[in-house]
Amino acid sequence: VQLQASGGGLVQPGGSLRLSCKASGFISGDYAIGWFRQAPGKEREWVSSMASSDGATYYGNSVKGRFSMSRDIAKNEVYLQMNSLKPEDTAVYYCAASRTIIVSSYTSEWGYQNWGQGTLVTVSS
């Protein structure tokens, strides 16, 4: 079971990026997927999650209305589209997966058993 996050980079404020989380060794559609981020010197923060059953999405208040999750089950990939990026969005972004997590635990990193390596997003002019 492996996850590989990619798509990070340097973008100007107001710009957009799309992160990808590629799953291997399991079917991503059977797992809830979460995105977390960690800025330098700060704790890991929950960003968003997608339910396995119906693809319902959930977002943290700091990204709601700007970020959106989607998935391509055929490609075994989940995406995080990030629009209207702000300098405070700068962080390493991680995707995580869990087959057993319940909705009420989506915001907790402890609910996810499988993690990708992270991809750096830098928002700066």
Side-chain angles (χ1 to χ4, degrees):
V1 175
Q2 289 187 330
L3 295 168
Q4 184 171 3
S6 62
L10 173 64
V11 63
Q12 292 187 342
S16 299
L17 277 177
R18 189 179 79 158
L19 304 184
S20 172
C21 179
K22 174 72 174 177
S24 59
F26 68 100
I27 300 173
S28 63
D30 292 340
Y31 284 67
I33 304 295
W35 284 98
F36 289 78
R37 66 186 182 185
Q38 188 165 20
K42 294 188 176 181
E43 293 185 352
R44 192 169 294 185
E45 174 190 16
W46 173 72
V47 175
S48 64
S49 294
M50 175 178 281
S52 59
S53 55
D54 57 2
T57 52
Y58 305 83
Y59 301 96
N61 288 335
S62 61
V63 306
K64 197 173 295 183
R66 299 188 297 122
F67 290 12
S68 63
M69 285 186 72
S70 61
R71 65 183 177 183
D72 187 329
I73 294 178
K75 293 184 177 180
N76 229 17
E77 287 192 69
V78 176
Y79 308 102
L80 182 67
Q81 178 67 42
M82 306 186 297
N83 299 327
S84 302
L85 283 162
K86 305 174 182 179
E88 50 264 43
D89 295 318
T90 295
V92 177
Y93 284 72
Y94 300 88
C95 60
S98 173
R99 193 182 179 100
T100 59
I101 193 171
I102 58 176
V103 174
S104 60
S105 296
Y106 277 2
T107 61
S108 171
E109 61 183 297
W110 307 110
Y112 298 86
Q113 293 78 43
N114 308 102
W115 288 80
Q117 84 286 4
T119 184
L120 176 62
V121 172
T122 303
V123 184
S124 175
S125 56

